[in-house]
Amino acid sequence: MLPDIGVFGPYTYLVTEVAWGSVALALLWRADAVREAARTIAVLYPIAYVWDWYTLTVGVFSIELRTGVDLLGIPIEEHIFIVVVPALVLGIHETIRERAGDDSTERSGH
């Protein structure tokens, strides 16, 4: 059974964003890819913002366990989410790519 993280009340979503964001940052830092990831995230951000704003506006989903702080029409947690998700994907990608590079070096004998 999974733990009930709802114990953080209105900070639940924010806590999860900080936790996963920390994982993403650690992976990007380890892969020395923070700068490259930041550029990609900056390009993706406006698209994700409009998508998020629209889906919230039309009622596709609602967020119950959040702080209630909105910025530019969406919850502050969603702004963080828009950064954390691609950062985590890129962190995992760079970690796998780095690992694959290590393996290919070992296989070639270099």
Side-chain angles (χ1 to χ4, degrees):
M1 185 167 151
L2 296 174
D4 178 13
I5 61 170
V7 298
F8 295 109
Y11 296 98
T12 299
Y13 192 17
L14 185 61
V15 167
T16 62
E17 294 303 322
V18 169
W20 287 109
S22 297
V23 171
L25 183 59
L27 289 171
L28 289 169
W29 187 274
R30 182 180 180 279
D32 194 26
V34 174
R35 179 170 287 191
E36 294 84 358
R39 278 195 305 246
T40 301
I41 292 165
V43 171
L44 291 172
Y45 187 88
I47 299 162
Y49 167 79
V50 170
W51 183 359
D52 206 87
W53 172 84
Y54 176 76
T55 55
L56 283 166
T57 300
V58 299
V60 171
F61 65 96
S62 65
I63 305 162
E64 302 300 322
L65 297 175
R66 66 184 196 93
T67 61
V69 177
D70 287 356
L71 177 65
L72 302 173
I74 65 173
I76 193 75
E77 294 90 345
E78 285 298 294
H79 289 279
I80 298 169
F81 182 82
I82 291 168
V83 171
V84 168
V85 169
L88 187 57
V89 170
L90 292 167
I92 292 168
H93 171 78
E94 290 299 320
T95 300
I96 290 169
R97 187 170 79 154
E98 179 183 78
R99 188 73 203 142
D102 290 348
D103 291 347
S104 65
T105 302
E106 289 172 12
R107 280 180 265 152
S108 67
H110 293 104

